[in-house]
């Protein structure tokens, strides 16, 4: 009789274990998905000026909450992974024409040109010149989604295909894209200026592309001619300062580093004959032994040191990162500049964000936008689980560009009115 009364205690113990296990799993899920993190408008860093006040009034996304998908959108890792693996949801296929430019060293640069699908909000001819992220090109889904949206808002779009990134375009010189080489982007911009002499430019760069476009604008004042504004999204600003953080396991950056290095190795090795073949006139510093070291590389820094820096004759990795980073050029940019990063971007360490913060405190033309969530080039929106095709990032870049165009138009109208009044006097 006593034995029969004691048997229910065993299931009770097991139920307690189950509840504890469920609680532990829920705790891990809540922590990993960052579900307790609030939604909020992005943090904004800028100087009070007529331009900044106009932007705050004309760009609602700067002051509204960015609300990512409820279940997973507050995890920077998941946002980044979805961008990296999927790109975008239901990405459109904009129709464009591929252009080829022969560079002075024999390299063949390509970019894709997309005409606008509607009239621009100010009625002007505006071209967005776009530089994608590392090893990316116009066929990537996030680029296609953004281009389609920009076209529908009246922008012509020119998208650079990084040298060596397109699998069906062979290299015609022993060189491929590097972290901060602006030659191909500059050639594309010059083509647009020559072909469309009345157009004005909006410069856009994503990740590595953000470094390239900012460096390009800061290299010489002439590069800012006809440029209305520049937008950089999710770049790291200084490769020299980023290299140490990229070797740390914090936020799994070392793992991301390995994945990107593996992708870079595949791209380089796909052009093995053009870069390392016996018939190739290689840069003096590039040796056959570098190919062997490339096979063993497990980080971007090792690839940059053994191969990439040697395309341009840098003597050391430190010199390469110092010269190729846009940080030393940012203060030379005088057109309106919006720098966008996500606070939970696992690739960009928070210490690097002091660069755009400091710049925005000194320059009236700079606004730094820092939402809590978004990961690296994610910025997905949606209600519960499924993301929307268009992201917060896509909308913000176009909204900012529209506002700058309206700002420039209003300045011209004011100048015309002043001339009329002066003539009447």
């Amino acid at each position: 009789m006593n034995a029969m009364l004691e048997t229910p205690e065993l299931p009770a113990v097991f139920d307690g274990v189950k509840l504890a296990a469920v609680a532990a799993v829920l705790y891990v899920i809540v922590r990993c998905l960052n579900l307790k993190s609030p939604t909020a408008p992005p943090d904004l860093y800028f100087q009070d000026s007529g331009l900044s006040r106009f932007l705050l009034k004309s760009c609602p996304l700067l002051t509204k909450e960015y609300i990512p998908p409820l279940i997973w959108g507050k995890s920077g890792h998941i946002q980044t992974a979805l961008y990296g693996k999927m790109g975008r949801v239901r990405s459109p296929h904009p129709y464009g024409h591929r252009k080829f430019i022969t560079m002075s060293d024999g390299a063949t640069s390509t970019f894709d040109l997309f005409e606008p699908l509607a009239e621009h909000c100010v009625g002007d001819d505006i071209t967005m010149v776009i530089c994608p992220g590392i090893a990316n090109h116009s066929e990537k889904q996030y680029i296609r989604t953004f281009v389609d949206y920009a076209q529908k808002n009246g922008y012509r779009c020119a998208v650079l295909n990084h040298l060596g990134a397109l699998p069906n375009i062979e290299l015609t010189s022993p060189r491929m894209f590097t972290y901060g080489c602006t030659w191909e982007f500059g050639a594309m911009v010059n083509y647009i200026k020559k072909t469309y002499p009345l157009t004005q430019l909006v410069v856009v760069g994503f990740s590595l592309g953000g470094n390239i476009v900012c460096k390009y604008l800061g290299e010489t004042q002439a590069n800012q001619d006809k440029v209305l504004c520049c937008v950089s999204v999710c770049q790291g600003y200084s490769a020299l300062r980023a290299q140490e953080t990229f070797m740390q396991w914090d936020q799994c950056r070392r793992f991301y580093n390995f994945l990107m290095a593996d992708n870079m190795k595949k791209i380089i090795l796909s052009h093995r004959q053009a870069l390392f073949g016996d018939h190739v006139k290689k840069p003096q510093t590039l040796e056959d032994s570098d190919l062997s070291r490339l096979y063993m590389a497990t980080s971007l820094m090792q690839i940059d040191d053994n191969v990439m820096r040697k395309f341009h004759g840098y003597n050391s990795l430190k010199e390469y990162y110092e010269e190729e980073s846009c940080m030393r050029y940012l203060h030379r940019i005088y057109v309106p500049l919006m720098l966008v990063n996500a606070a939970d971007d696992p690739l960009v360490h928070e210490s690097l964000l002091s660069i755009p913060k400091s710049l925005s405190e000194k320059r009236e033309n700079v606004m730094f936008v820092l939402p809590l969530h978004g990961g690296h080039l994610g910025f997905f929106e949606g209600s519960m689980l499924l993301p929307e095709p268009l992201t917060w990032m896509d909308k913000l870049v176009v909204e900012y560009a529209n506002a700058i165009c309206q700002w420039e138009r209003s300045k011209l109208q004011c100048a015309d009115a002043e001339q009329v009044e002066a003539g009447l006097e």
Side-chain angles (χ1 to χ4, degrees):
M1 184 70 178
N2 291 336
M4 292 179 62
L5 293 174
E6 292 175 359
T7 52
E9 294 182 6
L10 287 175
V13 170
F14 285 120
D15 286 343
V17 173
K18 290 179 182 178
L19 287 173
V22 170
V25 170
L26 289 175
Y27 175 77
V28 171
I29 290 175
V30 169
R31 288 296 300 271
C32 291
L33 297 181
N34 206 19
L35 295 177
K36 294 181 68 176
S37 177
T39 58
D43 291 335
L44 303 177
Y45 301 84
F46 59 90
Q47 288 192 13
D48 184 37
S49 65
L51 174 60
S52 62
R53 290 191 293 271
F54 183 84
L55 288 173
L56 293 177
K57 180 181 177 181
S58 304
C59 298
L61 289 176
L62 292 174
T63 53
K64 285 173 54 180
E65 283 184 325
Y66 161 52
I67 303 177
L70 180 63
I71 301 298
W72 51 265
K74 295 179 181 179
S75 167
H77 293 290
I78 295 181
Q79 289 249 21
T80 302
L82 283 179
Y83 146 73
K85 188 67 177 176
M86 186 174 61
R88 291 293 182 260
V89 179
R90 300 190 298 278
S91 179
H93 293 268
Y95 176 77
H97 296 278
R98 182 152 294 165
K99 305 294 182 179
F100 297 79
I101 300 176
T102 301
M103 307 297 292
S104 59
D105 65 346
T108 302
S109 177
T110 70
F111 69 93
D112 284 19
L113 190 62
F114 305 86
E115 292 298 329
L117 299 177
E119 185 177 353
H120 193 269
C121 63
V122 298
D124 292 341
D125 186 305
I126 313 290
T127 302
M128 280 192 175
V129 283
I130 302 166
C131 191
I134 184 171
N136 288 174
H137 45 74
S138 63
E139 297 174 12
K140 291 293 183 179
Q141 289 190 344
Y142 78 100
I143 294 294
R144 290 182 356 223
T145 299
F146 176 73
V147 166
D148 180 74
Y149 184 61
Q151 284 181 288
K152 291 174 180 176
N153 278 269
Y155 291 94
R156 179 186 298 108
C157 294
V159 183
L160 180 69
N161 300 310
H162 284 301
L163 201 62
L166 281 170
N168 59 334
I169 302 293
E170 295 291 334
L171 292 179
T172 55
S173 74
R175 178 175 69 85
M176 57 183 294
F177 78 92
T178 55
Y179 175 66
C181 180
T182 61
W183 298 351
E184 288 78 46
F185 184 76
M188 179 180 75
V189 171
N190 290 335
Y191 177 96
I192 295 298
K193 287 181 178 180
K194 183 177 180 180
T195 307
Y196 305 96
L198 299 180
T199 196
Q200 295 174 293
L201 304 179
V202 172
V203 179
V204 181
F206 298 106
S207 192
L208 172 139
N211 178 74
I212 289 176
V213 301
C214 288
K215 181 173 177 284
Y216 169 77
L217 291 178
E219 284 176 338
T220 172
Q221 185 69 34
N223 288 349
Q224 299 176 49
D225 180 43
K226 293 191 174 182
V227 173
L228 292 172
C229 64
C230 175
V231 182
S232 164
V233 184
C234 288
Q235 69 151 306
Y237 307 99
S238 172
L240 188 64
R241 289 169 57 172
Q243 65 171 332
E244 293 182 4
T245 68
F246 236 37
M247 295 302 290
Q248 299 168 357
W249 282 100
D250 177 47
Q251 292 293 314
C252 300
R253 268 185 297 277
R254 183 65 183 89
F255 179 65
Y256 288 112
N257 189 359
F258 172 80
L259 293 179
M260 288 190 290
D262 189 59
N263 186 51
M264 276 300 300
K265 284 197 313 190
K266 291 177 182 176
I267 294 173
I268 295 172
L269 292 173
S270 70
H271 298 290
R272 185 188 298 107
Q273 288 302 316
L275 296 174
F276 300 97
D278 295 334
H279 66 287
V280 175
K281 185 180 179 181
K282 298 183 286 290
Q284 292 182 353
T285 52
L286 193 62
E287 303 173 355
D288 292 336
S289 58
D290 293 320
L291 180 60
S292 301
R293 285 190 285 268
L294 175 65
Y295 282 106
M296 303 298 293
T298 60
S299 72
L300 287 175
M301 283 67 76
Q302 290 173 325
I303 294 175
D304 288 342
D305 193 21
N306 292 319
V307 178
M308 308 304 281
R309 69 173 175 85
K310 298 179 180 181
F311 289 144
H312 294 280
Y314 290 109
N315 296 318
S316 67
L317 186 63
K318 181 176 183 293
E319 181 188 12
Y320 171 65
Y321 283 161
E322 283 181 340
E323 295 295 325
E324 297 282 289
S325 294
C326 73
M327 186 176 76
R328 56 198 295 265
Y329 295 93
L330 288 170
H331 68 283
R332 302 180 192 171
I333 299 176
Y334 300 100
V335 299
L337 172 63
M338 182 171 71
L339 305 171
V340 183
N341 288 91
D344 65 353
D345 187 336
L347 303 187
V348 181
H349 191 270
E350 60 182 356
S351 63
L352 298 171
L353 302 182
S354 63
I355 298 171
K357 287 179 183 178
S358 175
L359 184 70
S360 64
E361 293 170 355
K362 300 173 183 176
R363 304 296 301 275
E364 285 191 357
N365 63 310
V366 179
M367 176 176 284
F368 177 44
V369 182
L370 184 67
L372 282 173
H373 311 112
H376 191 78
L377 295 182
F379 300 105
F380 292 98
E381 290 185 308
S383 54
M384 287 287 290
L385 188 62
L386 296 178
E388 297 292 332
L390 207 60
T391 69
W392 179 85
M393 174 188 76
D394 301 321
K395 298 174 186 176
L396 177 66
V397 175
V398 170
E399 188 176 81
Y400 176 82
N402 287 344
I404 293 296
C405 293
Q406 292 164 356
W407 168 258
E408 293 296 328
R409 171 58 64 89
S410 66
K411 287 199 306 181
L412 287 174
Q413 291 174 343
C414 289
D416 291 341
E418 290 176 358
Q419 288 181 354
V420 170
E421 290 180 2
L424 293 175
E425 293 176 358

